[in-house]
Amino acid sequence: MLTSVVVFVVSVCAGLVIGLTTTRTDDQHNIKHEVYYKHMKLPLSTFVGEKKIEYGCSAFPLKADEYITEYLPIGKRNDLYHITVSVCDTPYDKSPIWECINPSHVCKNSKREFLYSWTNGAPGWTLPEGTGIYTGNRSKYVIMQVHGRDDISDERVKDFAHMRLKIQTTRPQVAAAVSMYTGYGYIPPHVDNFTVDTACVWNKTTPVPILAYGIHTHTRGLALSGYIVRDGQWIEIGRGDPLYPLTMFDITDRKMRILPGDIIATRCTYRNTDNTRVSMGFTHVREMCNYFVYYGVTPDKIASTKAIACGGNAQGTGWDQLFDNIPADASDPTGDTEQSRYVKKYHLTKNY
């Protein structure tokens, strides 16, 4: 049986801090929230030429006891596949930029806290009002991990990959944490509608609200869906077409909660027309099956809350019978979904 594993992951690109501080007032509680912006950047020249690398990491100092409330990519973005933002006690390397395609090469001793991921074409993410992602109870480093393209034009190669963080110095009403569900294994050759399932029991002792979710595969993904399974009933968190940019869909208006003992179940559906099987991995010739769920906790508990990582393939592990009852549209990305509304709002187009 798959069990949930507690981990924290963070990745960030090298950049600079903009020394502009502003304040905003919470009218309901008459509290002034001081905010500032951390602007991180990494040269696109990292991904071209004889010394090019595929994944580049840069580290930036991160203050303790603050809250990230926005992730915003800046400028032209079609030179990148994706950016991942993580937090480390100590970066894996002391260099300004280092190769980090191996996930254990982001943080020293692999102690990585995942915060956020963005793919080309997505709008960035402003967290729901009154929420923020805690930076930790001691100073750390934010790591910007960039997967760049190697076909960048001579005109663009002098530019940078950019990510801006909006940071709030006062505690919000709700702190945001993340759980990530990742499918492993491989996709056989010449298959349509091949599924990879993941399931874990929610082991928190109190109910938590769901704030947002996101979905991600590579080129062979057809659909990705996630559910709460409670007393045999399947409650859809969200589903969509993973070939659209990785967007964090705000669902706070739905007032969904995860209860102790619930099962979180996800399904990735693929088509592989190749003559060989395709393994899961981090390069674009491999595949991914990632479902992100952001949930809320009270700020007084956030210091002891770690990101939840559920990984594996449910087939043959005792969860098979559970997925016999998955909804019929689990592999159908169409319909009135959060993604369909975001596609219209932000004019999203498929990445592949």
Side-chain angles (χ1 to χ4, degrees):
M1 176 181 295
L2 293 177
T3 57
S4 51
V5 180
V6 175
V7 290
F8 245 138
V9 186
V10 171
S11 71
V12 161
C13 284
L16 55 103
V17 177
I18 297 178
L20 175 63
T21 301
T22 62
T23 60
R24 65 178 179 84
T25 301
D26 183 335
D27 294 331
Q28 183 179 357
H29 300 88
N30 197 28
I31 298 172
K32 288 186 176 180
H33 297 288
E34 187 177 84
V35 300
Y36 67 94
Y37 298 89
K38 180 181 285 290
H39 185 180
M40 304 175 293
K41 65 180 184 178
L42 188 147
L44 294 178
S45 57
T46 301
F47 309 108
V48 298
E50 293 182 0
K51 297 182 179 180
K52 67 181 180 182
I53 61 179
E54 188 166 355
Y55 279 62
C57 276
S58 291
F60 305 88
L62 190 65
K63 297 178 183 178
D65 296 318
E66 297 183 338
Y67 295 84
I68 299 169
T69 61
E70 182 181 59
Y71 300 91
L72 182 66
I74 299 173
K76 294 183 178 180
R77 310 166 194 171
N78 57 359
D79 304 305
L80 313 173
Y81 289 116
H82 68 257
I83 297 174
T84 300
V85 179
S86 306
V87 169
C88 296
D89 289 333
T90 307
Y92 178 81
D93 200 296
K94 295 181 180 179
S95 304
I97 302 169
W98 69 93
E99 169 65 80
C100 56
I101 190 171
N102 185 330
S104 67
H105 291 177
V106 175
C107 299
K108 199 80 169 179
N109 302 319
S110 301
K111 293 183 178 180
R112 182 185 184 199
E113 304 171 17
F114 172 84
L115 296 186
Y116 171 73
S117 192
W118 168 92
T119 62
N120 175 38
W125 185 34
T126 301
L127 273 73
E129 185 70 22
T131 69
I133 293 178
Y134 186 50
T135 60
N137 57 8
R138 63 183 184 277
S139 298
K140 297 183 181 182
Y141 292 87
V142 62
I143 309 299
M144 180 176 163
Q145 182 187 41
V146 181
H147 185 188
R149 302 176 65 97
D150 62 1
D151 57 355
I152 301 170
S153 67
D154 292 340
E155 178 184 0
R156 294 284 301 136
V157 77
K158 295 180 181 179
D159 206 340
F160 296 81
H162 299 267
M163 178 68 73
R164 189 188 75 178
L165 306 182
K166 184 177 181 180
I167 299 177
Q168 178 175 302
T169 60
T170 52
R171 290 201 328 183
Q173 296 168 282
V174 176
V178 63
S179 54
M180 183 168 65
Y181 302 86
T182 303
Y184 297 152
Y186 64 89
I187 304 164
H190 301 296
V191 291
D192 274 318
N193 297 310
F194 180 80
T195 59
V196 174
D197 299 327
T198 301
C200 288
V201 175
W202 190 260
N203 61 6
K204 300 294 181 182
T205 58
T206 58
V208 299
I210 299 180
L211 306 176
Y213 73 92
I215 61 176
H216 180 62
T217 70
H218 287 167
T219 60
R220 298 166 186 82
L222 297 177
L224 214 170
S225 53
Y227 301 87
I228 297 170
V229 185
R230 180 182 301 151
D231 299 326
Q233 299 298 311
W234 290 70
I235 305 166
E236 182 179 301
I237 299 171
R239 58 190 166 84
D241 182 341
L243 299 192
Y244 280 102
L246 171 56
T247 302
M248 299 307 166
F249 302 115
D250 183 339
I251 58 170
T252 50
D253 60 333
R254 290 168 55 188
K255 301 187 184 306
M256 294 188 70
R257 295 196 306 167
I258 310 175
L259 306 182
D262 282 348
I263 297 170
I264 306 299
T266 67
R267 167 164 285 184
C268 290
T269 305
Y270 300 95
R271 174 185 294 122
N272 180 16
T273 59
D274 294 349
N275 294 323
T276 58
R277 73 182 193 178
V278 178
S279 299
M280 297 294 178
F282 293 91
T283 68
H284 263 67
V285 298
R286 297 188 176 185
E287 262 303 338
M288 280 189 167
C289 175
N290 290 339
Y291 198 100
F292 305 91
V293 177
Y294 287 86
Y295 62 98
V297 298
T298 56
D300 60 301
K301 294 182 179 179
I302 192 62
S304 60
T305 299
K306 301 297 183 181
I308 298 170
C310 172
N313 189 332
Q315 296 175 358
T317 62
W319 289 108
D320 306 60
Q321 188 174 357
L322 173 74
F323 284 92
D324 288 342
N325 299 312
I326 195 169
D329 61 359
S331 295
D332 179 3
T334 64
D336 183 19
T337 63
E338 279 81 25
Q339 186 183 69
S340 68
R341 294 189 285 275
Y342 273 64
V343 166
K344 294 176 183 177
K345 180 178 181 180
Y346 295 103
H347 308 288
L348 301 180
T349 58
K350 294 188 180 183
N351 276 333
Y352 306 108

